[in-house]
Amino acid sequence: MSVDTHNEHAVTHDDHHHGDDHDHGSFKSYMIGFLLSVVLTAVPFWLVMTEALAPQTTGLVITAFAVVQIIVHMIFFLHMNHKSEGGWNMLALIFTIVIVVIAVAGSVWVMYHLNVNMMPTHDMQTMG
């Protein structure tokens, strides 16, 4: 192979994009995501440590913050949006959410019915 032919096939780091045509994020977007993640972690931690709210309310607030944190990670760190990968990322996300909801709802339903149908009643003490 001649030197000219070799130079024509040489690929510099700047020319090699792995076929990606979407944004990989900037320092500013990573810092925004990082700061949001820190706040979305620190607030629930503070709520638990100070016992500022009732336990049930604290659990709901932590769950809400967790959902928001998932969204922040997907947008700022995984770069998921409706345009990435031609919309396939969003379709995969929706499919995953549906499967998780079915699995969680089914598990809760089964556990509830097992608890209702399998636990002994309090009338068993009076039968003896």
Side-chain angles (χ1 to χ4, degrees):
M1 178 181 265
S2 70
V3 175
D4 293 333
T5 306
H6 180 70
N7 288 337
E8 288 177 12
H9 293 290
V11 177
T12 63
H13 182 69
D14 296 335
D15 295 335
H16 197 50
H17 294 288
H18 300 287
D20 294 338
D21 58 350
H22 56 275
D23 185 25
H24 287 289
S26 64
F27 180 75
K28 180 181 176 183
S29 70
Y30 281 119
M31 286 308 294
I32 290 170
F34 174 73
L35 293 174
L36 284 173
S37 296
V38 168
V39 169
L40 291 169
T41 301
V43 170
F45 185 79
W46 175 80
L47 286 174
V48 169
M49 294 303 291
T50 62
E51 298 177 358
L53 301 173
Q56 294 83 8
T57 307
T58 302
L60 291 174
V61 170
I62 289 172
T63 302
F65 272 75
V67 169
V68 173
Q69 180 134 204
I70 290 169
I71 294 169
V72 165
H73 280 251
M74 287 189 323
I75 292 172
F76 288 99
F77 300 121
L78 298 177
H79 311 292
M80 289 182 67
N81 57 29
H82 65 281
K83 293 184 244 175
S84 64
E85 301 293 331
W88 284 105
N89 280 345
M90 194 59 62
L91 187 63
L93 174 66
I94 292 168
F95 178 74
T96 302
I97 290 171
V98 168
I99 295 299
V100 168
V101 166
I102 289 171
V104 170
S107 298
V108 170
W109 180 73
V110 166
M111 288 187 288
Y112 171 77
H113 284 284
L114 282 174
N115 184 41
V116 168
N117 295 321
M118 298 297 287
M119 294 300 291
T121 61
H122 295 287
D123 295 335
M124 302 267 304
Q125 296 172 353
T126 60
M127 293 177 71

